[in-house]
Amino acid sequence: MCWLYSRQSVFGKAPVFSGCDSISFSKQQKCFDNQVHAHIYNSFKVPVRVEKEKYKGEVVVLFEVDTIGRFQVMYVDAVYNELKDEAKRVFSSLPKIKPATYNGRPTFKQYSLQIKIPLIDTNLVIDESEAINPISKLEQQAKQEFDRVNNDLKTFENKAYNSQLNIQFTHSDYAKFDRQMNVVGSNSHTASKPFVYDDVASYYDFQAEREALQRETATWAGQKLWNEHLVQLQSDDYWFTIDPIFDLEVGKDTDAEFSSTYNNTRGFLVQGGLGEKFNFYASVFESQGRFADYVNRYAESLKAFGPDPAIIPGRGIAKRFKTDSYDYPVAEAYMSYAPAKFINIQFGHGKNFIGDGYRSLLLSDVASPHPFLKLNTKFWKIKYTNTWMWLKDVRPEVTEDGAFLTKYMANHYLSWNVSKRFNLGLFESVIWSNTNNRGFDVNYLNPIIFYRAIEFETGQDAGNAVIGATAKYKWNDNINLYSQFVLDEFSLADVKAGGEKLEKQVWLSIGR
């Protein structure tokens, strides 16, 4: 690169970057040249077309630093339009600096710069013997690091739709793509929920649905309200978003003594990704509500140990708000990682679901959020789900030293697409408490071994084992028939005896 000056006398002070303040006056022009050169060398990306055609030449840029320290490109001369565009982009990303001065007053200064293609690092060197505080190359790079981070940002694309993030499990949302995943001939597995976006993206176009919901608006507030996340950042290596959440619902229970029902929720949601395989999610909700009278009575019947009056089904412990309402905070978060295309590992605080239908005999989502570790393995016509959970028994009679009793649960669920229409699922689960200070029993950490066999090694009353099976038949693209069968604590003697003992052990669910 070479530098030419024009339209200004060489007398006066050159423009000054923040890192050049400590350089002697005579060397400030060289420092300015070095900073501009280093920014171009680190930020300029030679277009793919130019590299493929192995072009060798130069880009001539005429620019100025104006009276308030901004870089303004006046003219660019290059063989390729792509090189012109890239030169303009690089100069537009230069930071605002101290302007040049003449007779003590700010003034503009113009420069002509030649950029060699391919790029050559011809960084100018300041004579350290004449510098007051010479700046090392590493220090120069450090001073430009913040700007490089900003320069790496790119136009936001919603990468969530092909990520390892969970699709929020609400039946109304899942109904949107339920048919697409259950057409005859698909190799999908629909019992283990929530799904990750990457699995469903093969059957449903999330981006098209989002674009159909967007609205034309010219204001920043309108864009954020209808079309964008409140905060959205993306580079080649990471992305994340932050959104506020507001929900206000009002209703009426004509049989209740109070005037109305309501639910008032505020919160925020954070989600993002690092690379292509790791994603994270966190949400916090603060809610106050008064529900239909039968819901309020049921919530208070679940009262935990302590002063709090109720447990809101599916949400958690609630404290009293005013005289007849509840205050209940909820937080959920998880990390999701896919070390290979066959495996997804999740660890967090939330809820899971196993089974087809609105509710499930195997594992439903009626419990409060809790810590979990989940391993999903998918290959051929099989999906295998392992879930380990940490639960709390909040009954007053099992509370010890003011703390809730800890229980643990482990599940295996194997889903097999036997044919284009028929799916068979096999389920086993075990739940155990912290007896003998055994804590989380590593015997149950094995993702393959049968739990019933482990019980004989740890003691036949060490845990409560449940086995079950599911079946689904695709009648056509619009109708599926499914069923669930659960057997609790199987005993051959009870099966032979029949009657009441057997009725307590077997549950059957059939749906469409």
Side-chain angles (χ1 to χ4, degrees), residues 391-409:
L391 310 174
K392 294 294 183 181
D393 189 339
V394 300
R395 294 174 299 161
E397 57 267 27
V398 297
T399 302
E400 185 174 339
D401 296 330
F404 299 134
L405 175 67
T406 300
K407 288 191 174 184
Y408 308 93
M409 188 175 184

Side-chain angles (χ1 to χ4, degrees), residues 110-365:
Q110 290 187 349
Y111 298 88
S112 178
L113 167 67
Q114 293 177 343
I115 304 175
K116 297 293 184 181
I117 306 297
L119 294 175
I120 300 175
D121 187 5
T122 57
N123 196 32
L124 303 176
V125 178
I126 298 175
D127 186 355
E128 294 187 6
S129 64
E130 299 184 19
I132 298 176
N133 286 314
I135 300 177
S136 69
K137 187 175 181 180
L138 286 176
E139 186 174 344
Q140 289 182 13
Q141 293 177 351
K143 289 180 177 294
Q144 297 164 2
E145 185 176 13
F146 186 86
D147 294 326
R148 285 199 299 270
V149 171
N150 286 333
N151 294 336
D152 286 341
L153 297 179
K154 56 192 298 186
T155 303
F156 184 80
E157 304 168 359
N158 206 323
K159 287 190 173 184
Y161 295 150
N162 293 98
S163 71
Q164 296 298 315
L165 285 173
N166 290 334
I167 304 173
Q168 180 181 349
F169 182 44
T170 59
H171 291 282
S172 58
D173 287 346
Y174 276 48
K176 297 176 182 178
F177 45 81
D178 189 57
R179 181 186 183 278
Q180 287 87 334
M181 294 190 67
N182 284 286
V183 294
V184 176
S186 67
N187 191 35
S188 63
H189 300 267
T190 59
S192 181
K193 303 180 181 73
F195 306 142
V196 297
Y197 278 102
D198 189 47
D199 286 343
V200 182
S202 303
Y203 308 97
Y204 186 74
D205 192 341
F206 291 100
Q207 186 61 39
E209 181 197 19
R210 180 178 179 83
E211 291 175 356
L213 294 174
Q214 290 186 341
R215 300 189 181 185
E216 293 186 7
T217 176
T219 65
W220 177 87
Q223 280 291 106
K224 293 299 179 182
L225 180 62
W226 301 111
N227 301 332
E228 298 179 359
H229 300 279
L230 179 63
V231 177
Q232 53 184 35
L233 292 175
Q234 179 180 330
S235 75
D236 290 332
D237 301 320
Y238 61 85
W239 68 272
F240 73 91
T241 63
I242 303 175
D243 291 292
I245 297 173
F246 300 99
D247 179 36
L248 176 60
E249 303 175 22
V250 179
K252 180 69 175 177
D253 184 353
T254 57
D255 296 328
E257 296 180 358
F258 46 80
S259 58
S260 63
T261 63
Y262 74 92
N263 190 69
N264 177 25
T265 297
R266 294 88 55 214
F268 67 89
L269 184 151
V270 180
Q271 56 186 3
L274 302 175
E276 298 295 328
K277 298 180 179 180
F278 180 82
N279 292 100
F280 57 88
Y281 168 99
S283 63
V284 177
F285 303 93
E286 174 63 31
S287 303
Q288 291 83 39
R290 180 174 58 231
F291 312 103
D293 188 55
Y294 73 93
V295 177
N296 296 336
R297 285 186 280 109
Y298 179 67
E300 295 195 8
S301 72
L302 300 175
K303 180 182 184 300
F305 168 80
D308 299 314
I311 293 180
I312 307 301
R315 307 313 289 160
I317 295 176
K319 64 181 180 180
R320 179 65 66 193
F321 178 72
K322 295 184 177 179
T323 58
D324 56 0
S325 301
Y326 308 104
D327 187 336
Y328 57 101
V330 179
E332 297 187 48
Y334 64 87
M335 298 178 291
S336 181
Y337 178 60
K341 67 178 182 179
F342 307 103
I343 298 175
N344 173 263
I345 304 170
Q346 293 188 10
F347 177 70
H349 188 267
K351 297 191 289 186
N352 291 278
F353 190 100
I354 297 178
D356 290 291
Y358 192 82
R359 292 291 179 224
S360 175
L361 296 177
L362 307 182
L363 178 65
S364 195
D365 61 340

Side-chain angles (χ1 to χ4, degrees), residues 443-461:
N443 286 288
Y444 296 115
L445 198 57
N446 192 317
I448 299 176
I449 196 168
F450 288 100
Y451 291 143
R452 189 59 176 168
I454 296 178
E455 280 192 295
F456 285 98
E457 298 177 3
T458 58
Q460 294 192 35
D461 293 327

Side-chain angles (χ1 to χ4, degrees), residues 412-473:
H412 296 163
Y413 180 72
L414 175 67
S415 174
W416 174 30
N417 288 325
V418 181
S419 69
K420 293 181 178 181
R421 295 177 182 270
F422 182 65
N423 172 273
L424 177 65
L426 301 176
F427 174 81
E428 67 168 343
S429 174
V430 63
I431 185 169
W432 70 98
S433 60
N434 189 24
T435 54
N436 295 329
N437 293 321
R438 60 193 291 213
F440 186 90
D441 197 330
V442 294
N443 286 288
Y444 296 115
L445 198 57
N446 192 317
I448 299 176
I449 196 168
F450 288 100
Y451 291 143
R452 189 59 176 168
I454 296 178
E455 280 192 295
F456 285 98
E457 298 177 3
T458 58
Q460 294 192 35
D461 293 327
N464 182 31
V466 174
I467 60 175
T470 67
K472 183 176 70 174
Y473 183 78

